[in-house]
Amino acid sequence: WGESARATVRRTAMRSAILAFTILAGCGGDEGPGYPECPAGKFLLEGAVDGMPVMIDETANGGFSQLGTGQFEQGRPAVLKMTWEKTLYDGQSGPAMGTVVLPKGETLCAGAGSRVAFPANGDQIQFLLKNLASGSGCSVPKTGELRACWRSTR
């Protein structure tokens, strides 16, 4: 190959790399599922279940702990209870599972694909609840998903 052919191949490879980077950057990467942002001292739960909108806006009166595994509880009686398998730090997320009680009293299980996230700023906890189900043994699948956030008053 002559110098001209090698230069053309290099330019083509460079353009392909730039195009691929531009496409990936334009898509925004893995920015997560669009968790809600909570003001200080608030708990928010929003989304839809079986086509019906869900919106809970409460004072943050629950809490969480992480000693090897994590657990979270909001409300008295509990509106949302979630657990996760390992300690997560600011800027990390991981799989979670738990239950949520809707305003009309129906209890739903949050199944596979549900997540807990600790944003990098370290001032709130966010949840994504997917593969929702109700009934005995969580055997009745529901459509939709819910997203929640919790921020303490501190």
Side-chain angles (χ1 to χ4, degrees):
W1 285 15
E3 185 59 36
S4 176
R6 283 193 288 272
T8 300
V9 169
R10 282 194 299 267
R11 280 194 303 271
T12 302
M14 180 62 79
R15 286 183 188 136
S16 296
I18 290 170
L19 178 61
F21 176 76
T22 302
I23 289 170
L24 290 174
C27 291
D30 183 16
E31 294 176 0
Y35 297 105
E37 292 287 325
C38 278
K42 289 302 253 178
F43 168 75
L44 301 176
L45 180 90
E46 56 190 40
V49 176
D50 285 345
M52 300 298 296
V54 174
M55 179 62 190
I56 297 174
D57 182 338
E58 295 184 344
T59 300
N61 62 14
F64 77 99
S65 66
Q66 293 194 106
L67 299 171
T69 61
Q71 60 185 9
F72 169 86
E73 188 171 314
Q74 162 63 31
R76 294 181 184 91
V79 170
L80 180 64
K81 287 185 181 182
M82 298 294 286
T83 60
W84 52 99
E85 293 182 3
K86 66 178 188 168
T87 299
L88 297 170
Y89 299 95
D90 294 347
Q92 294 183 323
S93 66
M97 56 190 258
T99 59
V100 59
V101 179
L102 299 180
K104 292 184 179 180
E106 183 181 20
T107 299
L108 300 178
C109 302
S114 298
R115 300 199 55 84
V116 57
F118 289 84
N121 63 13
D123 66 352
Q124 67 180 315
I125 305 171
Q126 298 166 316
F127 298 96
L128 170 64
L129 286 68
K130 297 185 82 168
N131 291 303
L132 302 171
S134 65
S136 177
C138 303
S139 59
V140 181
K142 300 286 186 172
T143 62
E145 64 184 36
L146 300 170
R147 294 167 183 180
C149 62
W150 178 90
R151 183 178 292 189
S152 72
T153 55
R154 296 181 221 167

